[in-house]
Amino acid sequence: ATIRLHDGESVRLHSLKSIHEVLDLDPEDVAMRAKAEADLADHQAHWDAADREIGYSAALQAERESADRAEDLLEALSKTPAASLAGVAAKLEAALREGEVSEDGAEFPWPQIRSALDDVIRIGRRLVPEQMFPNDLLQPKSPRKRDGRSLRVWTGADGGAA
């Protein structure tokens, strides 16, 4: 709600609390306070109707619940001992996906974790070729561009580019 103060300045208030803090119960403020409360209630009613129509709050709540569930699963994963190299790789992949800000982050510890994950996958594929590893489930990488031309990158069985 926007109100005009006694000195002529306009202020925008976003809650009943802020209205009550700015406008006392002085006789000259009572009418202004009632109007500000009514304006705020009107704005809130419009917001609530639009929110129901587009589902913003429901989507936000679902997003929070999903993030909480992911956090619980990540915690359970970290407490569960790996029984294979694929399990170790899955734990490293989960740490990368959850914690890394960008896919090619160069700050410690992300390059070291990516390197360890690559090592575990390379060794695991050599020792247990029939085992699935985290990046076996991923789509092939899109071609890299160099000077406007596409370069196709293939990953060999040893984890290196071919």
Side-chain angles (χ1 to χ4, degrees), residues 74 89-103 105 109-118:
L74 193 59
K91 291 173 110 174
L92 289 169
E93 176 74 18
L96 279 168
R97 286 185 183 269
E98 191 62 26
E100 192 175 31
V101 177
S102 68
E103 192 174 306
W110 308 119
Q112 292 77 12
I113 293 174
R114 281 194 304 274
S115 175
L117 175 59
D118 290 345

Side-chain angles (χ1 to χ4, degrees), residues 61-129:
Q61 181 61 31
E63 183 181 31
R64 284 185 189 128
E65 290 170 4
S66 177
D68 289 345
R69 178 73 174 132
E71 188 176 315
D72 292 345
L73 290 171
L74 193 59
E75 185 176 335
L77 180 65
S78 70
K79 291 179 179 178
T80 304
S84 66
L85 287 173
V88 173
K91 291 173 110 174
L92 289 169
E93 176 74 18
L96 279 168
R97 286 185 183 269
E98 191 62 26
E100 192 175 31
V101 177
S102 68
E103 192 174 306
D104 55 353
E107 315 78 45
F108 178 83
W110 308 119
Q112 292 77 12
I113 293 174
R114 281 194 304 274
S115 175
L117 175 59
D118 290 345
D119 292 344
V120 168
I121 291 172
R122 180 178 38 77
I123 293 166
R125 283 185 176 149
R126 194 174 305 136
L127 295 176
V128 192

